[in-house]
Structures are given as C-alpha cells and as structure tokens.
Amino acid sequence: MQYDDLVTLTSTPRINKYLRASDNNQNLATRTYFLNIDISGNIFKAISFLEISLRNRINMLAPIVLKLDKNTWLFDLAQGKVSHAIEFSETINKIRTAIKLSKDSTHDQVLCQLSFGFWSSIFSGYNYVILGSRLLKHLNPGKKVNPDLLRQKLHSIRIIRNRIAHQEPVIFNRKGKFSSDQLKILLRDIYWVQVHLYSRKLSQIAFYEQIKADVVRLESCIKKRKPSGVK
C-alpha cells in the first residue's frame, strides 16, 4: 500500500506518529504501520485466549461460590438473587444489558456478551468483596494471590487490548520512539496472571511464544535502524 493511500484510509495524525519515528521516511512509516498491525494481531490472540480462559474459569466457579445454579447464575444475579445486591448493582446492570443484547437470552450467549473489562472488574471494588476474593481461593488453590497486583496486571492488559482495538501503536515507547518496552511489560503481566490464576503456564501456549518472538523481531529491526518487519 502506498503512503498516501494509507493516510486516506486512516488519518494524518495517526500516521504522523509513524512518520516521526521513521525520520519522515514515508515508505518506512508505511511498512512500520503494518508491522504494528502484524504484531498487534499476535498480541490480541494471546489476550483473547486469556480473556476466554478467565471468563470460563469464573463461569465454572462463580455459581459454586455464590451457591447458584451453573446454568442460570447470570440470570439469578440479574434478578438480584444474591446477598449485597445493592452494592453489586453496577455488575447486575451490566448483566441485564448483556441479557438484552443476546439473541435468545441463553446463558452461553449472555456469557459471550460480557467483556474482558467485566470479568476483570470481578476483582475490584465491591465485586471483589462479594465475589472476587472468594473466587481467588478456588482459581488456583496452590497460589496466594495479591489482589492489588492482580488488578494492576489485568488493568494493564486491558489497556493494551483497547489500544490494539483502535490500531494504536504498541511498538513505541511513551516518547514515540521504536521500542519493545510495551511488549515486554505485556509478556510479564500475562505470565503473572497465568501463573497466579492457573496451574498451567501460558508460556507453553503458542500465542505467548509468538509475542516473545515479536520482541526479538522488533529489537532486531531497531538495531538495524529499519523497523520494517516486512520483506
């Protein structure tokens, strides 16, 4: 794709980030933009895997902790069939919205309507007091999890996820220079969450290994001063 076409399809302010990092080399800025998309795709796979696995683990354990039916616990929460329902109201409202948005209002459809932000919020505020703290005792009984660190790691992962969804760069540092810092932080955060919430390490999963490979790939490009990533 030509530089001018890329600017037309996206925007000048968006591409300017890549242009500045590429010393105003339009061809390099174009290649770098697609390198970012390529690496972002691998990150999104890993985060999506984490999101789905976290959702499924909570879906399995929450009805046990709350003493609700496994096939209706979301609907039961939506109806306020839980202690401290008033404090839980924000979460209940999100579930009610998901029920409205689901096609046939089945449990699985409602489950899929709830976002990574929703599942992460289980470990914050009143959600943590009512449900999250009790879930941590079941998610990985062999690990003592620091809830503050868990919230911090999940928040960091969610920020990167949202940046990717809007095609924001993940191959720059805060100063707009080519850097693998964001990728390394993400690797540490995903690894930490996986180790503390599951018995199997995410490092054994291909998507995680791909991000590690992307770190090497990006750093190699930076050393060559040609972060194209595209032959």
Side-chain angles (χ1 to χ4, degrees):
M1 181 181 291
Q2 297 297 316
Y3 175 82
D4 290 342
D5 294 332
L6 182 60
V7 172
T8 300
L9 290 172
T10 56
S11 70
T12 299
R14 180 183 294 275
I15 301 305
N16 276 347
K17 299 174 185 177
Y18 298 87
L19 193 60
R20 286 192 296 270
S22 303
D23 297 326
N24 292 316
N25 184 320
Q26 293 183 354
N27 290 332
L28 184 56
T30 301
R31 294 198 301 271
T32 302
Y33 186 85
F34 285 102
L35 170 64
N36 184 74
I37 289 178
D38 187 26
I39 291 177
S40 293
N42 293 326
I43 295 173
F44 197 77
K45 292 174 186 176
I47 294 178
S48 294
F49 192 96
L50 177 65
E51 176 180 350
I52 291 170
S53 60
L54 180 63
R55 179 195 73 191
N56 290 345
R57 289 278 283 164
I58 293 176
N59 180 51
M60 179 179 71
L61 295 172
I64 297 174
V65 169
L66 296 172
K67 295 181 172 55
L68 298 173
D69 187 276
K70 66 179 181 179
N71 297 313
T72 62
W73 73 272
L74 286 171
F75 296 93
D76 292 339
L77 282 183
Q79 295 171 20
K81 295 180 180 180
V82 63
S83 59
H84 305 286
I86 295 177
E87 292 91 342
F88 216 45
S89 60
E90 185 176 345
T91 295
I92 288 174
N93 287 334
K94 289 179 180 178
I95 296 173
R96 287 173 178 169
T97 299
I99 292 173
K100 291 179 181 178
L101 292 174
S102 61
K103 186 177 180 181
D104 298 318
S105 293
T106 63
H107 180 82
D108 287 344
Q109 287 178 350
V110 174
L111 197 69
C112 293
Q113 287 289 341
L114 296 166
S115 67
F116 184 43
F118 173 86
W119 301 113
S120 299
S121 72
I122 295 297
F123 302 100
S124 300
Y126 281 114
N127 289 350
Y128 177 74
V129 175
I130 298 168
L131 177 56
S133 59
R134 295 153 72 185
L135 279 175
L136 288 185
K137 297 177 182 179
H138 295 270
L139 285 169
N140 191 347
K143 288 282 185 179
K144 185 176 181 180
V145 182
N146 182 319
D148 291 330
L149 265 179
L150 175 60
R151 284 189 283 271
Q152 175 187 324
K153 301 296 184 183
L154 289 175
H155 177 72
S156 177
I157 293 169
R158 190 156 60 92
I159 291 297
I160 292 290
R161 183 189 186 281
N162 292 341
R163 288 182 63 81
I164 291 171
H166 293 92
Q167 290 191 9
E168 291 295 327
V170 295
I171 60 174
F172 299 154
N173 59 22
R174 291 183 177 180
K175 296 181 179 179
K177 302 295 184 181
F178 290 110
S179 171
S180 60
D181 290 351
Q182 287 195 74
L183 303 187
K184 289 179 178 178
I185 292 171
L186 177 69
L187 279 173
R188 290 197 295 268
D189 289 346
I190 290 180
Y191 183 85
W192 191 95
V193 172
Q194 181 68 20
V195 167
H196 285 79
L197 295 190
Y198 308 98
S199 58
R200 182 181 179 186
K201 295 180 181 179
L202 195 59
S203 59
Q204 297 172 328
I205 297 169
F207 298 144
Y208 184 93
E209 292 296 335
Q210 182 60 59
I211 301 176
K212 289 174 67 176
D214 282 336
V215 169
V216 175
R217 173 186 177 193
L218 179 58
E219 291 180 343
S220 176
C221 289
I222 294 170
K223 287 179 182 178
K224 295 177 182 178
R225 303 184 68 83
K226 287 185 177 181
S228 65
V230 180
K231 296 181 179 179

